């Protein structure tokens, strides 16, 4: 098989993977070729409007597992292909040098065994780094059941690691992916989080842990920490009726945010207990482990889960593993199975879009999953974005006075984004903010006017009736709401760029010296 | 009413700002070669003066801030009409209020310059991604060549990014609209006038990798989700002329 055919087969098999950003780490060229940009770079957009950043392929699609929803499952009748490590590394470099891509996203089917596959992946990444001197971005997917030593070694080559959480509920797991045990998914996530703490590199998602240093004992996840213990317990109780109530997969919002006794969780003296800590303890101080952190993805719409279950699992993953990002992938029916949605059903794109908006509220706006989707409303409103839906359910806290509100309060106003909230706070240090100013600041007034006052004056609908406002927003939003729908997978325009690092806010920093003299002189 | 006319350089614009303070108020600043005379306005041509320009440059840097100097320079490189006058107004306000100018978002002068700067910033982000190099020349000496047609005069702002990233390859990013190019090798770069004529032919392997890239690009689109409107939102037609994946031929 030549490289054309392999590329066709192995790119085709990887295309449903959604986590393709190249963000999370900034690095100047420390090899022969390559660098990384913190906010990530999109290189092109496919016909379905998704950003292409990395060369995203499977190393092999020759799988020995049999997951129901997957085109590559053992029992499927399809063309099988496997790259040679050097072949793929060479292709990556050629693409990279022409600026087609920002780096490599490498995943794989399980060729014969998870470790055997991981070794091949490691070989490929090492070739890329060492032989070709590649200093660009690498995202490596970790297969369930790969040994800790290999995860560690791959983490030394890759910028980001991810393990698919696959399903937000236990039911999904049990039904659709018989050979994967959720424990094998969460255990490596735990290892990666701990390894990041050891390398003082755990940053957490968005602004969720802003201002906190996560790299301390409190966040170390021992196999016996409460979170993990509950996961265990629930997994052991798999056979029991109520087993779907696993800590992560239970669908309840987060209750425990911290282990009770942090001290118990660190094993200072005994590094041999688990293989990887032993590897870790021998590490060189300057070693860099997965500097862009960890992410995961869940399939939406294949196992009958509610949005509440999805967001509760997402929030718990953020709070427990502190990973950078949870991706959602609207299930595209590729396989006909009695267990799965019909092959003719449309992928739930609208739902995926609203989930991304909700995820954004979790990471950047200080919302809890419980506020967004409660027990009495387990699904997101398809017509309105989750922030305004929340506001309409909580009219009692509005209107908010922009000239005195805290940053957190400002962020709760529909139509006010991170950047505009920051601008409001900055301007009012010198000059109070008027209604006219808000527009220039970037606030979407058509929406925001119902929820704020400027120096005591209110500009919205006096009745403050949720139904009236809802009608008003839906009506005038017609165009915009729809276009938000169609404009891409992560949704609202603000969600597009730097979807991980947050809106790129340019702030005056008088101490930064800029060299425009050189720039000016070159003309 | 008096308009000042300048030669199109940043120094020229700074000189105009100088004259605004020392020889009389300017109501607008325009490029001499693009100026449309009107009956209502007087105009005078301001000769670029490096000493005066430097004074203004340093005054902005110290009395306003380096951030604002950078902002004004970027706005100057934008394609926004009337940018010179906007920059003048920004400078005037800046000299009055100092470094807090960038926090006064309600001011029209601030808003205008910020918008112009934003245009450039957006295009910088975009072009980090959509520049496409082709390998030219055979044998030892290879050149990576990329033609571009940005809206704003911005290639200098992406030069450092590419020159660091592709430190070990000699490359040219050619702005066809403005007949100039970033020329870089060994991690260093400069801007120069540039003509396409001097270029060597395509590397024999080049077509193969283009073909592979197109194959990849076409393969990963998910048919069930096709959405050309969304694609065009991120990748407007005017940016597609030199994208390998959207074209079968041409450099
Ligand atoms: S292990 Fe991965 S590739 Fe193999 S069948 Fe399951 S989902 Fe598909």
């Amino acid at each position: 098989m030549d490289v054309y055919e392999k590329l066709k087969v192995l790119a085709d098999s990887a295309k449903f993977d959604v986590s393709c950003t190249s963000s999370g780490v900034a690095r100047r060229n420390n090899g022969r070729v390559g660098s990384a940009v913190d906010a990530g770079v999109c290189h092109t957009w496919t016909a379905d409007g998704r950003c292409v950043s990395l060369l995203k392929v499977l190393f092999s699609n020759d799988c020995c597992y049999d997951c129901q929803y997957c085109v590559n499952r053992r029992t499927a009748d399809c063309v099988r292909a496997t790259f040679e490590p050097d072949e793929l590394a060479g292709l990556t470099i050629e693409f990279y040098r022409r600026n087609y891509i920002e780096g490599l996203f490498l995943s794989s089917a399980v060729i014969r065994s998870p470790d055997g596959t991981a070794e091949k992946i490691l070989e490929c990444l090492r070739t890329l780094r060492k032989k070709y001197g590649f200093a660009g971005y690498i995202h490596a997917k970790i297969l369930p059941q790969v040994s800790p030593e290999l995860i560690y070694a791959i983490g030394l080559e890759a910028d980001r690691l991810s393990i698919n959480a696959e399903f937000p509920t236990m039911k999904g797991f049990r039904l659709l992916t018989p050979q994967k045990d959720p424990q094998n998914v969460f255990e490596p996530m735990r290892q990666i989080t701990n390894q990041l703490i050891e390398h003082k590199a755990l940053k957490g998602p968005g602004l969720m842990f802003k201002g906190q240093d996560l790299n301390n004992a409190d966040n170390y996840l021992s196999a016996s920490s409460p979170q993990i213990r509950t996961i265990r317990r629930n997994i052991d109780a798999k056979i029991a009726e109520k087993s779907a109530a696993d800590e992560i997969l239970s669908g309840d919002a987060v209750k425990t945010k911290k282990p009770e006794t942090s001290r118990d969780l660190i094993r200072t003296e005994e590094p041999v207990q688990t293989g990887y800590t032993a590897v870790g303890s021998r590490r060189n101080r300057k070693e860099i482990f997965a500097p862009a952190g960890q992410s995961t993805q869940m399939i939406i719409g294949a196992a009958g889960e509610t949005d509440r279950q999805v967001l509760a699992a997402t929030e718990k993953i953020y709070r427990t593993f502190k990973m950078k990002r949870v991706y959602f992938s609207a299930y595209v029916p590729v396989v006909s199975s009695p267990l799965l949605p019909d092959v003719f059903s449309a992928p739930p794109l609208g739902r995926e879009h609203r989930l991304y908006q909700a995820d954004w509220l979790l990471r950047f706006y200080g919302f809890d999953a419980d506020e967004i989707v409660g027990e009495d409303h387990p699904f997101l409103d398809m017509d309105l974005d989750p922030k305004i839906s929340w506001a309409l359910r909580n009219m009692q806290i509005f209107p908010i006075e922009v000239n005195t509100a805290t940053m957190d309060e400002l962020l709760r106003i529909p139509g006010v984004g991170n950047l505009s909230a920051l601008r409001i706070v900055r301007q009012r240090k010198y000059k109070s903010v008027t209604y006219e100013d808000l527009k220039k600041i970037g606030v979407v007034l058509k929406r925001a006017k119902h929820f704020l006052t400027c120096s005591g004056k209110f500009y919205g609908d006096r009745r403050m009736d949720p139904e009236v406002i809802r009608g008003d927003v839906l009506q005038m939003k017609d165009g915009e709401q729809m276009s938000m729908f169609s404009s891409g997978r992560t949704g609202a325009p603000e969600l597009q760029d730097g979807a991980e690092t947050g809106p790129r806010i340019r702030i005056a920093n008088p101490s930064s010296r800029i060299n425009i003299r050189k720039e000016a002189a070159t003309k | 009413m008096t308009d000042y006319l300048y030669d199109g350089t940043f120094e020229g614009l700074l000189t105009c700002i100088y004259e605004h303070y020392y020889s009389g108020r300017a109501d607008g600043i325009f490029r001499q070669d693009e100026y449309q005379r009107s009956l209502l306005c007087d105009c005078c041509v301001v000769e670029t003066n490096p000493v005066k320009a430097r004074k203004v440059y340093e005054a902005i840097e110290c009395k306003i801030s380096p951030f604002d100097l950078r902002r004004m320079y970027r706005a100057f490189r934008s394609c926004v009409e009337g940018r010179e006058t906007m920059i003048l107004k920004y400078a005037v306000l800046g000299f009055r209020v100092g470094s807090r100018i960038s926090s006064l978002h309600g001011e029209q002068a601030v808003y205008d310059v910020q918008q112009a700067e934003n245009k450039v910033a957006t295009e910088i982000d975009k072009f980090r991604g959509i520049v496409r190099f082709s390998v030219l020349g055979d044998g030892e000496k290879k050149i990576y060549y990329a033609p571009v047609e940005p809206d704003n005069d911005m290639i200098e702002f992406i030069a450092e990014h590419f020159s660091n990233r592709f430190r070990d390859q000699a490359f040219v990013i050619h702005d066809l609209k403005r007949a100039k190019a970033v020329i870089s090798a060994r991690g260093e770069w400069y801007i120069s006038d540039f003509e396409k004529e001097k270029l060597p032919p395509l590397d024999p392997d080049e077509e193969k990798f283009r073909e592979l890239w197109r194959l990849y690009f076409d393969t990963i689109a998910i048919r069930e989700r096709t959405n050309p409107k969304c694609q065009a939102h991120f990748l407007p037609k005017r940016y597609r002329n030199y994208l390998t994946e959207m074209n079968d031929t041409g450099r």
Side-chain angles (χ1 to χ4, degrees), chain B residues 83-244:
Chain B
R83 57 189 177 277
E84 296 91 347
T85 312
M86 291 173 189
I87 293 168
L88 171 68
K89 288 184 179 152
Y90 194 89
V92 169
L93 180 62
F95 286 133
R96 232 175 50 224
V97 301
S99 68
R100 72 190 145 127
I101 183 171
S102 55
S103 298
L104 304 177
H105 300 282
E107 296 285 347
Q108 192 64 40
V110 176
Y111 180 74
D112 288 341
V113 168
Q114 191 179 287
Q115 290 299 99
E117 181 198 24
N118 220 359
K119 268 207 150 97
V120 176
T122 311
E123 208 166 49
I124 293 172
D125 287 345
K126 189 73 78 186
F127 274 73
R128 281 189 183 153
I130 63 170
V131 164
R132 294 283 177 274
F133 291 103
S134 298
V135 184
L136 307 186
D138 39 10
E140 282 300 277
K141 267 207 186 156
K142 289 204 192 318
I143 299 177
Y144 287 74
Y145 171 77
V148 293
E149 286 179 340
D151 297 340
N152 304 290
D153 185 0
M154 47 65 79
I155 52 172
E156 64 193 79
F157 301 123
I158 53 173
E160 184 53 36
H161 167 80
F162 284 112
S163 121
N164 176 258
R165 171 168 293 193
F166 299 125
R167 197 164 60 190
D168 67 344
Q169 70 196 44
F171 69 81
V172 174
I173 299 174
H174 185 182
D175 183 341
L176 298 167
K177 276 192 192 166
R178 298 167 188 87
K180 64 189 216 176
V182 169
I183 296 172
S184 170
R186 287 178 293 278
E188 304 204 358
W189 59 273
Y190 62 94
I191 304 260
S192 149
D193 295 343
F194 196 82
E195 304 272 324
K196 206 172 172 171
E197 275 62 57
K198 309 175 226 166
L199 292 168
L202 281 187
D203 179 270
D205 273 349
E206 178 59 18
E207 205 38 61
K208 172 180 156 199
F209 288 108
R210 287 182 180 180
E211 211 36 68
L212 279 162
W213 174 239
R214 281 184 209 118
L215 171 78
Y216 176 74
F217 181 75
D218 294 339
T219 307
I220 56 172
I222 296 175
R223 214 172 358 105
E224 292 83 344
R225 306 182 59 141
T226 305
N227 189 346
K229 231 175 92 192
C230 176
Q231 184 186 29
H233 171 81
F234 295 112
L235 201 53
K237 297 251 157 50
R238 67 181 190 284
Y239 286 153
R240 298 186 183 183
N241 293 345
Y242 301 98
L243 284 183
T244 317

Side-chain angles (χ1 to χ4, degrees), chain A residues 63-67 69-70 72-74 108-110 166 177 180:
Chain A
C63 198
C64 63
Y65 283 22
D66 207 26
C67 307
Y69 53 89
C70 177
N72 299 321
R73 68 191 191 285
R74 193 184 56 219
S108 183
V110 183
E166 308 287 21
T177 169
K180 287 184 196 160

